[in-house]
Amino acid sequence: AAGQEPAAADALARALRTGAASKRIHRDVARLAFTQQDYPQAVAQFREALRHEDAPLLRFNLAMALRGAKDEAAAMAIFEALMESNPELAEVYEAVVTGYLRVGKTTEARAVLWRMKAGAKAHPRLQGAHAALAAQLEKAAPTPALVDAEAP
């Protein structure tokens, strides 16, 4: 339950110190730290888990923890690399678009959407995610419209 999270985190940290470390323990400590908004600890533990296994979802979670720790540049570098290596992960496109929108880079966000749309042919899972993300982008940064000079 919610009140047991600090005790669980302490138990997992003790297991790490006693040499019972594994990718799973580091991942679990990282996830727990993330839910407690202890982003520096989450970052450290995701990095340690990645030393045991380089998995796309671990890299994604590391980037999310970096974002939580306010290291947007490092998070975006990981997200952009994941977009290259794992173009089927809709969550990565969403993270990149969100990152661009946070800093006002709407042109870059739209370019990612175009790329996502093109990738949807090879990865059908992206189709629904693209539509939802396009709607979110349009709401955040509407596409400029031309005005007809002869209109009354």
Side-chain angles (χ1 to χ4, degrees), residues 4-6 8-10 12 27-38:
Q4 297 174 342
E5 288 174 353
D10 290 341
L12 285 171
R27 184 199 64 210
D28 291 348
V29 170
R31 292 175 69 141
L32 185 58
F34 188 89
T35 62
Q36 294 176 340
Q37 298 180 351
D38 183 355

Side-chain angles (χ1 to χ4, degrees), residues 9 28 41 53-54 57-58 66 68 70 79 82 87-88 96 100 120-121 126 141-142 146-147 152:
D28 291 348
Q41 176 70 1
E53 176 189 16
D54 184 14
L57 293 179
L58 283 175
L66 285 162
K70 307 289 188 236
F79 288 138
L82 280 168
E88 74 283 359
V96 173
Y100 282 142
K121 294 174 184 163
L126 296 179
L146 297 177
V147 177

Side-chain angles (χ1 to χ4, degrees), residues 87 114-127 130:
W114 277 106
R115 183 174 176 182
M116 186 181 190
K117 185 174 184 177
K121 294 174 184 163
H123 307 287
R125 181 173 169 249
L126 296 179
Q127 290 173 356
H130 175 269

Side-chain angles (χ1 to χ4, degrees), residues 1 12 16 18 31 34 55 75 82 93-94 107 113 120 140 143 146-147:
L12 285 171
L16 290 171
T18 61
R31 292 175 69 141
F34 188 89
L82 280 168
Y93 291 94
E94 181 178 355
T107 301
L113 274 178
T143 303
L146 297 177
V147 177

